């Protein structure tokens, strides 16, 4: 007897019975789902904590160096000529500055007739020649009568000559360029194309500006056209100077309150105490611009307030992630987590430790009105903090920055947050552990689901067999009942 639909033969609700049995069989998977959800919640909470720590580190960086903590503000009357920024050692005052000349890096170029013909080279892969290039740096001085060539004084800061060997493997225009650049010889090489038929030529630029960084180039054992790279105006020897000088090495010259100052660079850090000057253009003769340095604590105040807020945000993130509500008996997802407790302990311990080597009265944040509250957050006493900011004798930078042997709180927080957030730090180690656990749960769930497919089929097969058996027995029972009912008639 064939049963086409489960339960038809027996009257049993096979579908419901199998569904209830499978619900029981799936109970372990339900537990795994709940466990996975709890780990996902922990990962999300760690993500929020990581974000708040990153913001704290950013705020700490804004206070971790003395230059970012200077209470001085520099303003320039003619900002198109130069810019100025004040450091922590700058003092209030004003200065008249004249920019007489800008520093320049020397530029040399092959002449238009550098090639074997009457022009340059046909392409970057054209062979130039082989030999050994030697580069020195120094100052060319005008000749004194009756001499006809200038003198050359080597730069004492660059006493060692740079030697570059050009062989058969790098003897093209491009090969020579690449060899010079790879040698880190203080020279930048490039190829210029003027658009003519043979317009490719080599251009050399001194990496450092200033008159002391003019190039002196000699080529030994030259073959082909490599001798075209010779450049030494101080030598009267034939062929000593082949390259053309397009830009002369020059120092920056300024006057500060009528005192002439000569520097190699257009960025000058030691002309005015604590002030960095960045020169942009020269000025007409006898024209000056005024630089004014005034005490301005607004930026410092804002940076400190931002640092305190970032710390409080991190403290709140930790408290929210580890909270326990006694009235409901519910705990946050990271309650009791050892990693979070460790991070919280490290941060609070850092701020509770006086700064080693700091001057008396400036060793703790509480000395300037920043103190802990009962909930672990920081609060600023505006009156006390304002007085500390306005007092020139108090160097607040020492409380926050890295100054000599004194490692301020912002610097320490920056370092600590960097360690915690690093790819091998506490957060990464913990989240990697969570991710591995979630992956393992997924593997176990997949295995269980695969097994449950066969379990469900087994249940269906068993009920189908039972259904057939009951149906068969019912048919037999009905037949026997019918026969027994006919016995009196037969008698």
């Amino acid at each position: 007897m064939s049963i086409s639909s489960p339960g038809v033969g027996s009257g049993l609700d096979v579908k419901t019975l199998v569904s209830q049995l499978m619900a029981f069989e799936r109970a372990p998977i339900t537990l795994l789902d709940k466990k996975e959800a709890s780990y996902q919640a922990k990962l999300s909470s760690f993500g929020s904590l990581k974000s708040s720590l990153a913001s704290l580190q950013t705020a700490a960086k804004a206070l971790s160096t003395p230059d970012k903590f200077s209470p001085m503000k520099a303003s320039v009357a003619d900002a198109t000529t130069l810019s100025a920024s004040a450091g922590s050692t700058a003092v209030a005052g004003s200065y008249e500055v004249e920019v007489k000349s800008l520093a320049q890096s020397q530029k040399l170029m092959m002449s238009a007739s550098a090639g074997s013909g009457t022009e340059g080279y046909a392409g970057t892969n054209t062979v130039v020649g082989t030999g050994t290039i030697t580069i020195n740096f120094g100052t060319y001085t005008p000749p004194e009568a009756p001499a006809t060539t200038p003198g050359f004084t080597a730069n004492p800061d660059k006493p060692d000559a740079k030697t570059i060997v050009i062989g058969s493997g790098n003897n093209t225009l491009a090969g020579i360029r690449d060899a010079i650049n790879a040698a880190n010889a203080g020279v930048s090489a490039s190829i210029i194309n003027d658009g003519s038929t043979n317009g490719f030529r080599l251009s050399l630029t001194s990496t450092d500006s200033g008159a002391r960084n003019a190039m002196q180039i000699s080529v030994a054992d030259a073959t082909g056209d490599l001798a075209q790279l010779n450049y030494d105006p101080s030598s009267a020897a034939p062929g000593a100077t082949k390259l053309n000088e397009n830009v002369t090495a020059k120092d920056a010259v300024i006057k500060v309150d009528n005192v002439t100052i000569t520097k190699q660079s257009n960025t000058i850090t030691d002309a005015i105490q604590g002030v960095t000057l960045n020169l942009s253009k020269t000025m007409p003769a006898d024209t000056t611009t005024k630089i004014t340095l005034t005490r301005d604590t607004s930026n410092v105040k804002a940076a400190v307030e931002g640092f305190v807020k970032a710390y409080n945000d991190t403290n709140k993130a930790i408290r929210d992630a580890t909270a326990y509500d006694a009235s409901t008996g519910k705990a946050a997802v990271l309650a009791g987590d050892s990693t979070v407790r460790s991070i919280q302990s490290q941060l609070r311990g850092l701020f509770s430790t006086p700064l080693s080597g700091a001057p008396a009265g400036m060793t703790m944040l509480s000395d300037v009105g920043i103190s802990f509250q009962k909930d672990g957050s920081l609060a600023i006493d505006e009156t006390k903090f304002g007085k500390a900011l306005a007092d020139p004798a108090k160097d607040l930078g020492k409380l926050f920055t890295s100054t000599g042997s004194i490692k301020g709180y912002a610097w320490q927080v920056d370092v600590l947050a960097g360690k915690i957030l690093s790819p091998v730090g506490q957060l990464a180690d913990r989240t990697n552990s969570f991710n591995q656990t979630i992956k393992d749960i997924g593997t176990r769930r997949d295995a269980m689901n695969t097994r449950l497919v066969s379990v469900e089929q087994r249940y269906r097969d068993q009920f189908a067999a039972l259904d057939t058996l009951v149906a068969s027995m019912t048919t037999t029972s009905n037949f026997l009942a019918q026969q027994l009912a006919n016995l009196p008639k037969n008698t």
Side-chain angles (χ1 to χ4, degrees), residues 67 81-85 99 101-104 209-210 250-254 261-272 275-281:
D67 288 344
T81 301
L82 61 93
S83 63
S85 58
V99 181
S101 69
L102 297 178
Q104 296 180 163
S209 59
K250 187 185 293 186
D251 289 328
V253 179
I254 65 173
I261 299 170
T262 302
K263 298 293 179 181
Q264 292 182 193
S265 171
N266 290 319
T267 298
I268 302 174
T269 60
D270 54 0
I272 302 172
V275 178
T276 297
L277 305 177
N278 289 290
L279 312 182
S280 302
K281 68 177 184 180

Coordinates of all heavy atoms in Angstrom, one line a residue, residues 67 81-85 99 101-104 209-210 250-254 261-272 275-281:
D67 N 56.1 73.4 19.9 CA 55.7 74.3 18.9 C 54.2 74.5 18.8 O 53.7 75.5 18.5 CB 56.2 73.9 17.5 CG 57.7 74.1 17.4 OD1 58.3 74.8 18.3 OD2 58.4 73.5 16.5
T81 N 55.1 88.5 1.3 CA 56.5 88.5 1.2 C 57.1 87.4 2.1 O 58.1 86.7 1.6 CB 57.1 89.9 1.8 OG1 56.6 90.9 0.9 CG2 58.6 89.9 1.7
L82 N 56.6 87.1 3.2 CA 57.0 86.1 4.1 C 55.9 85.7 5.1 O 55.0 86.5 5.3 CB 58.3 86.5 4.8 CG 58.2 87.7 5.8 CD1 57.9 87.3 7.2 CD2 59.5 88.5 5.7
S83 N 56.1 84.6 5.7 CA 55.2 84.2 6.8 C 56.0 83.9 8.0 O 57.2 83.6 7.9 CB 54.4 82.9 6.4 OG 55.2 81.8 6.2
A84 N 55.4 83.9 9.2 CA 56.1 83.7 10.4 C 55.3 82.9 11.4 O 54.1 83.1 11.4 CB 56.5 85.1 11.1
S85 N 55.9 82.0 12.1 CA 55.2 81.2 13.1 C 56.1 81.3 14.4 O 57.3 81.2 14.3 CB 55.0 79.8 12.7 OG 56.3 79.2 12.4
V99 N 63.4 91.6 3.0 CA 63.8 90.4 2.2 C 64.6 91.0 1.0 O 64.0 91.5 0.1 CB 62.7 89.5 1.8 CG1 63.2 88.3 1.0 CG2 61.9 89.1 3.0
S101 N 67.1 89.1 -0.8 CA 67.2 88.0 -1.9 C 66.7 86.7 -1.3 O 66.7 86.5 -0.1 CB 68.6 87.9 -2.4 OG 69.5 87.4 -1.3
L102 N 66.3 85.8 -2.2 CA 65.9 84.5 -1.8 C 66.9 83.5 -2.1 O 67.7 83.6 -3.1 CB 64.6 84.1 -2.6 CG 63.4 84.9 -2.4 CD1 62.2 84.4 -3.3 CD2 62.9 84.9 -0.9
A103 N 67.0 82.4 -1.3 CA 67.9 81.3 -1.5 C 67.6 80.6 -2.8 O 66.4 80.4 -3.1 CB 68.0 80.4 -0.3
Q104 N 68.6 80.1 -3.5 CA 68.3 79.4 -4.8 C 69.2 78.1 -4.8 O 70.3 78.1 -4.2 CB 68.6 80.2 -6.0 CG 67.7 81.4 -6.2 CD 68.1 82.2 -7.4 OE1 67.3 83.0 -7.9 NE2 69.3 82.0 -8.0
S209 N 69.7 74.4 -1.3 CA 69.9 75.7 -1.8 C 71.1 76.4 -1.0 O 71.6 75.8 -0.1 CB 68.6 76.5 -1.6 OG 68.3 76.6 -0.2
G210 N 71.4 77.5 -1.5 CA 72.5 78.3 -0.8 C 73.8 78.3 -1.6 O 74.1 77.3 -2.4
K250 N 72.5 80.5 -4.6 CA 72.4 81.8 -3.9 C 71.9 81.7 -2.5 O 71.0 80.8 -2.3 CB 71.5 82.8 -4.7 CG 71.5 84.2 -4.2 CD 70.6 85.1 -5.0 CE 71.0 85.3 -6.4 NZ 70.1 86.2 -7.1
D251 N 72.4 82.5 -1.6 CA 71.9 82.5 -0.3 C 70.7 83.5 -0.1 O 70.5 84.4 -0.9 CB 72.9 83.0 0.7 CG 74.0 82.0 0.9 OD1 73.7 80.8 0.8 OD2 75.2 82.4 1.1
A252 N 69.9 83.2 0.9 CA 68.8 84.2 1.3 C 69.5 85.3 2.1 O 70.3 85.0 3.0 CB 67.7 83.5 2.1
V253 N 69.1 86.5 1.8 CA 69.7 87.7 2.6 C 68.5 88.5 3.1 O 67.6 88.9 2.3 CB 70.6 88.5 1.7 CG1 71.1 89.7 2.6 CG2 71.8 87.7 1.2
I254 N 68.4 88.7 4.4 CA 67.4 89.5 4.9 C 68.0 90.5 5.9 O 69.1 90.3 6.3 CB 66.3 88.7 5.7 CG1 66.9 88.0 6.9 CG2 65.6 87.7 4.8 CD1 65.9 87.3 7.8
I261 N 71.4 89.5 7.7 CA 71.4 88.0 8.0 C 71.5 87.2 6.7 O 70.6 87.4 5.8 CB 70.3 87.6 8.9 CG1 70.3 88.4 10.2 CG2 70.3 86.1 9.2 CD1 69.0 88.2 11.0
T262 N 72.4 86.3 6.6 CA 72.6 85.5 5.4 C 72.3 84.0 5.8 O 73.0 83.5 6.7 CB 73.9 85.7 4.7 OG1 74.1 87.1 4.4 CG2 74.1 84.9 3.5
K263 N 71.5 83.4 5.0 CA 71.1 81.9 5.3 C 71.1 81.2 4.0 O 70.8 81.7 2.9 CB 69.8 81.8 6.0 CG 69.8 82.5 7.4 CD 70.7 81.8 8.4 CE 70.7 82.5 9.7 NZ 71.7 81.8 10.7
Q264 N 71.3 79.8 4.1 CA 71.3 79.0 2.9 C 69.9 78.7 2.4 O 69.7 78.4 1.3 CB 72.0 77.7 3.2 CG 73.5 77.8 3.4 CD 74.1 76.4 3.6 OE1 75.2 76.3 4.0 NE2 73.4 75.4 3.4
S265 N 68.9 78.8 3.3 CA 67.5 78.3 3.0 C 66.6 79.5 3.1 O 66.8 80.5 3.8 CB 67.1 77.2 3.9 OG 65.7 76.9 3.8
N266 N 65.4 79.4 2.5 CA 64.3 80.4 2.6 C 63.5 80.1 3.9 O 62.6 80.9 4.2 CB 63.5 80.3 1.4 CG 64.2 80.9 0.2 OD1 64.9 81.9 0.2 ND2 64.0 80.2 -1.0
T267 N 63.8 79.0 4.6 CA 63.2 78.8 5.9 C 64.2 79.1 6.9 O 65.2 78.4 7.0 CB 62.7 77.3 6.0 OG1 61.7 77.1 5.0 CG2 62.1 77.1 7.4
I268 N 64.0 80.1 7.7 CA 65.0 80.6 8.7 C 64.4 80.5 10.1 O 63.4 81.0 10.4 CB 65.3 82.1 8.4 CG1 65.9 82.2 6.9 CG2 66.4 82.6 9.4 CD1 66.1 83.7 6.5
T269 N 65.1 79.7 10.9 CA 64.6 79.4 12.3 C 65.4 80.2 13.4 O 65.0 80.1 14.5 CB 64.7 77.9 12.5 OG1 66.1 77.5 12.4 CG2 63.9 77.2 11.5
D270 N 66.5 80.8 13.1 CA 67.3 81.4 14.1 C 67.7 82.9 14.0 O 68.6 83.4 14.5 CB 68.6 80.6 14.3 CG 69.4 80.5 12.9 OD1 68.9 81.0 11.9 OD2 70.5 79.9 12.9
A271 N 66.8 83.6 13.2 CA 67.1 85.0 13.0 C 66.4 85.8 14.2 O 67.0 86.7 14.7 CB 66.5 85.5 11.7
I272 N 65.2 85.3 14.6 CA 64.5 85.9 15.7 C 64.2 84.8 16.6 O 63.7 83.7 16.2 CB 63.2 86.6 15.2 CG1 63.4 87.7 14.2 CG2 62.4 87.2 16.4 CD1 62.2 88.2 13.5
V275 N 61.1 82.1 16.5 CA 60.3 82.4 15.3 C 60.9 81.7 14.1 O 62.1 81.8 13.8 CB 60.2 83.9 15.1 CG1 59.3 84.2 13.9 CG2 59.6 84.6 16.3
T276 N 60.0 81.1 13.3 CA 60.4 80.5 12.0 C 59.9 81.4 10.9 O 58.7 81.7 10.8 CB 59.8 79.1 11.9 OG1 60.4 78.3 12.9 CG2 60.2 78.5 10.5
L277 N 60.8 81.9 10.0 CA 60.4 82.7 8.9 C 60.4 81.9 7.6 O 61.4 81.1 7.4 CB 61.4 83.9 8.7 CG 61.6 84.8 10.0 CD1 62.6 85.8 9.7 CD2 60.2 85.4 10.3
N278 N 59.4 82.0 6.8 CA 59.4 81.4 5.5 C 59.3 82.4 4.4 O 58.3 83.1 4.3 CB 58.2 80.4 5.3 CG 58.4 79.2 6.2 OD1 59.2 78.3 5.9 ND2 57.6 79.0 7.3
L279 N 60.4 82.6 3.7 CA 60.5 83.7 2.7 C 59.8 83.3 1.4 O 59.9 82.2 0.9 CB 61.9 84.1 2.4 CG 62.9 84.3 3.6 CD1 64.3 84.7 3.2 CD2 62.3 85.3 4.6
S280 N 59.0 84.3 0.8 CA 58.3 84.0 -0.4 C 58.8 84.8 -1.6 O 58.9 84.3 -2.7 CB 56.8 84.3 -0.2 OG 56.3 83.6 0.8
K281 N 59.1 86.1 -1.4 CA 59.6 86.9 -2.5 C 60.4 88.1 -1.9 O 60.3 88.4 -0.7 CB 58.4 87.5 -3.3 CG 57.5 88.5 -2.6 CD 56.5 89.0 -3.5 CE 55.6 90.1 -2.9 NZ 54.6 90.6 -3.7

